[in-house]
Amino acid sequence: MDAKNTIASGKAILGIEFGSTRIKAVLIDEDNQPIAQGSHQWENQLVDGLWTYSVEAIWYGLQDCYASLRADVMKQYGVEIEHLAAIGVSAMMHGYMPFGADGNILVPFRTWRNTNTGKAAAELSELFNFNIPLRWSISHLYQAILNEEPHVKDIKFLTTLAGYIHWQLTGEKVLGIGDASGMLPIDPSTKNYDAVMVEKFNRLIAPRQLGWTILDLLPKVLQAGEPAGVLTAEGAKRLDVSGHLNAGAPFCPPEGDAGTGMVATNSVRQRTGNVSAGTSSFSMIVLEKNLSKPYEMIDIVTTPDGSPVAMVHCNNCTSDINAWAEIFKEYEELLGVKVNMHDIFTRLFEVALKGDPDCGGLLAYNYFSGEPVTKFNEGRPLLVRSANDKFSLANFMRANLYAAVCVLKIGNDILFKQEKVAVDKITGHGGYFTTPGVGQRILADALDLPISVMKTAGEGGPWGMALLASYLINKEEREPLADFLTKKVFAGYAGTEVKPDPKEVEGFNRYIENYKRGLAIEQAAVDNKE
């Protein structure tokens, strides 16, 4: 069946993902291939010292993204989207969205980017004997309790951004297990919130007499492939303001962007992994066994079907590269040159490979915000050099590309060097890998491991969410998610692999040692600049 008939007959599947800078929708056909897309640009706001997106921005962004998808479908195929075979919603993970009895949010959405939860995260990590990151929902909740914020006693429901959108479109207060594992740790044996930690947390807060226990607030945990409700009539109107979309499409469990990245790179089996690198970055390595002990730098989450995953999450990745690209754009405009941002990025990324393996002594810190792995609550973007360093465009760009993955390397060195975690394949995806061969080359040298990149490297997340929706309705009985992906999505395609170069690895290792010593410079900048 061609794409037009697929859409007209209601057999297309929709995946939507709320990223940090873009909301994107991808429509796929019965062969799981993208046939249309839509997007909406947005940015977080710093309000009263906390990073947030307003509820109004969330809904305007979703509706504008869907309208963009409708327009793309009409332009390509001349038909309206009236029925969908399945829908899935994903979003940036974690953060804090508490709701009251009337269904309204009690405080502005606190995103993953906030680092104000240090006291709560430290206390909970000790209580649970399990690393609880700053950005996790339980950290935000307990920090609000410690701060004695008045809204806490009024909370009736706590969820993530993906869980919120799903709830509003379906009426179901549920969450995919991967996203849920960033609210409160999951017990791998029960595939549900860890009962021991639930009991410990309830005892911890009992003296405060808040009128609820933690399970009263959290969404129900679902695994990939489980039904998670259907699009309601009200939800259809909220999604498609034109009124063409009909209710009734089944939803798969809402997931976080880490889960969709695993799916989009066929990295849900044990001994596989992926690296997502865009505004933020994270690596996900699916474990064969638990780590020997908790590590502050490593989060334990799950795949969308419940396998344990070691996650290294970095708040900063490509934002500083983007900022420098804008400077080069301004320079070209001064010269009267017609600006093409794709060409700017491509040229700058490619020239980086001509730089010295250790960047000629230059150091770059891309900390737009705090970076928990290196223990920074705030950040200041910096370029550091001495008079004798080799200051060239190639070394400058190479330093910035190195900076984007330095924190990721620091975290992953624990996994691969200390814990001796075995991995057969790591796949990269996200904007950092859009220029062929460049980000892939640098990450391979940074981790000293082969890195594969697929053709979907630039835009994997929304497609990954659409694949989870496809799995809901197209899986065979008892067919595992990994088998579905291997046989029905990625059959015969493994991507393009780049192996590390020993000389480049040595150069990156010199750079990272300088980088670690130079963190004192970054700290001084944070301490002395408002």
Side-chain angles (χ1 to χ4, degrees):
M1 186 179 294
D2 63 29
K4 179 177 180 178
N5 288 332
T6 296
I7 297 167
S9 61
K11 295 183 178 180
I13 297 169
L14 174 62
I16 300 170
E17 183 157 285
F18 284 72
S20 300
T21 59
R22 185 159 62 152
I23 304 168
K24 188 170 181 187
V26 169
L27 206 61
I28 64 173
D29 62 18
E30 293 161 292
D31 294 323
N32 299 305
Q33 297 303 307
I35 53 176
Q37 63 181 17
S39 66
H40 170 81
Q41 298 290 132
W42 71 337
E43 287 287 349
N44 54 189
Q45 304 296 321
L46 190 62
V47 179
D48 296 328
L50 294 171
W51 293 103
T52 187
Y53 301 86
S54 69
V55 169
E56 293 77 17
I58 291 168
W59 287 105
Y60 176 76
L62 177 63
Q63 291 163 358
D64 187 58
C65 177
Y66 186 83
S68 172
L69 174 70
R70 275 188 62 236
D72 187 43
V73 168
M74 182 58 69
K75 180 180 179 181
Q76 289 195 71
Y77 311 112
V79 295
E80 283 286 356
I81 307 170
E82 296 185 347
H83 298 275
L84 289 165
I87 305 175
V89 175
S90 60
M92 61 192 92
M93 294 172 69
H94 319 131
Y96 185 64
M97 296 192 82
F99 296 87
D102 60 0
N104 291 322
I105 197 164
L106 295 170
V107 294
F109 169 34
R110 297 172 184 176
T111 78
W112 59 269
R113 199 168 195 174
N114 291 295
T115 53
N116 64 309
T117 57
K119 181 174 174 58
E123 289 188 14
L124 292 176
S125 295
E126 183 176 359
L127 177 69
F128 296 156
N129 190 33
F130 189 99
N131 179 44
I132 304 296
L134 302 181
R135 67 188 181 281
W136 279 18
S137 302
I138 196 70
S139 296
H140 283 279
L141 175 62
Y142 187 48
Q143 190 67 53
I145 293 171
L146 293 176
N147 294 345
E148 299 184 345
E149 296 188 40
H151 77 273
V152 170
K153 66 182 184 306
D154 298 321
I155 301 175
K156 298 298 182 185
F157 180 48
L158 179 66
T159 192
T160 65
L161 179 56
Y164 167 61
I165 299 296
H166 182 96
W167 168 39
Q168 295 297 300
L169 296 180
T170 67
E172 300 291 336
K173 295 180 178 179
V174 300
L175 202 59
I177 192 169
D179 207 1
S181 68
M183 297 196 78
L184 186 72
I186 295 291
D187 181 341
S189 62
T190 65
K191 310 290 188 184
N192 207 338
Y193 301 115
D194 189 291
V196 173
M197 297 184 196
V198 165
E199 181 58 31
K200 285 182 176 181
F201 186 80
N202 285 336
R203 286 203 301 267
L204 176 67
I205 65 171
R208 298 179 182 269
Q209 298 182 325
L210 297 172
W212 48 258
T213 62
I214 187 60
L215 291 185
D216 295 333
L217 308 187
L218 296 179
K220 180 182 178 181
V221 179
L222 297 176
Q223 295 178 57
E226 292 191 89
V230 300
L231 182 65
T232 63
E234 181 182 345
K237 292 176 183 176
R238 295 198 76 176
L239 179 59
D240 180 11
V241 295
S242 75
H244 286 89
L245 182 62
N246 286 276
F251 269 74
C252 65
E255 266 298 349
D257 50 3
T260 61
M262 286 186 271
V263 171
T265 55
N266 196 18
S267 304
V268 299
R269 289 190 194 278
Q270 292 180 356
R271 294 174 65 102
T272 65
N274 79 93
V275 170
S276 172
T279 305
S280 63
S281 69
F282 51 81
S283 62
M284 311 286 290
I285 308 298
V286 187
L287 300 174
E288 294 181 279
K289 60 181 181 179
N290 291 330
L291 301 181
S292 63
K293 63 180 181 179
Y295 292 93
E296 189 176 350
M297 294 179 184
I298 298 170
D299 313 339
I300 301 299
V301 292
T302 80
T303 62
D305 56 351
S307 296
V309 176
M311 178 181 190
V312 177
H313 184 280
C314 312
N315 281 3
N316 303 280
C317 186
T318 59
S319 292
D320 205 28
I321 295 171
N322 296 343
W324 283 113
E326 287 291 331
I327 292 293
F328 287 103
K329 172 190 171 185
E330 288 184 29
Y331 174 70
E332 288 199 359
E333 289 173 340
L334 280 175
L335 296 179
V337 177
K338 187 176 180 180
V339 174
N340 182 309
M341 287 305 294
H342 179 268
D343 287 347
I344 291 176
F345 278 109
T346 299
R347 299 280 182 90
L348 291 176
F349 269 62
E350 289 175 346
V351 77
L353 293 185
K354 299 178 181 179
D356 296 316
D358 65 353
C359 305
L362 275 62
L363 282 175
Y365 295 90
N366 62 340
Y367 294 12
F368 268 55
S369 63
E371 193 57 81
V373 170
T374 47
K375 302 184 185 304
F376 281 84
N377 289 328
E378 295 180 56
R380 301 287 185 271
L382 292 177
L383 177 70
V384 181
R385 64 188 179 99
S386 69
N388 294 325
D389 290 338
K390 299 177 183 177
F391 189 46
S392 66
L393 178 61
N395 282 336
F396 167 79
M397 281 309 303
R398 195 178 187 101
N400 278 284
L401 293 182
Y402 276 16
V405 297
C406 272
V407 179
L408 200 67
K409 175 180 172 57
I410 291 170
N412 276 280
D413 278 352
I414 294 173
L415 288 177
F416 301 127
K417 294 183 178 180
Q418 292 179 226
E419 289 283 335
K420 308 299 182 185
V421 169
V423 62
D424 297 326
K425 181 180 179 182
I426 296 179
T427 303
H429 64 108
Y432 185 77
F433 301 103
T434 301
T435 302
V438 181
Q440 184 181 8
R441 162 91 274 153
I442 287 174
L443 185 62
D445 296 332
L447 299 185
D448 196 13
L449 287 166
I451 302 295
S452 296
V453 170
M454 297 181 177
K455 61 184 177 182
T456 55
E459 300 295 348
W463 181 55
M465 195 64 232
L467 294 179
L468 285 171
S470 176
Y471 178 62
L472 171 71
I473 62 170
N474 292 321
K475 68 181 184 301
E476 297 174 15
E477 187 175 0
R478 299 184 181 276
E479 183 179 25
L481 176 61
D483 288 353
F484 174 84
L485 294 174
T486 299
K487 295 175 183 176
K488 298 177 180 174
V489 180
F490 296 99
Y493 183 71
T496 304
E497 183 180 82
V498 167
K499 290 182 169 62
D501 180 297
K503 291 183 179 179
E504 305 289 325
V505 171
E506 181 185 347
F508 198 104
N509 287 338
R510 289 198 302 273
Y511 181 91
I512 199 70
E513 291 308 313
N514 288 334
Y515 180 94
K516 291 175 183 176
R517 287 191 291 269
L519 286 170
I521 306 169
E522 174 71 19
Q523 188 63 60
V526 170
D527 293 341
N528 293 285
K529 185 178 186 301
E530 290 296 327

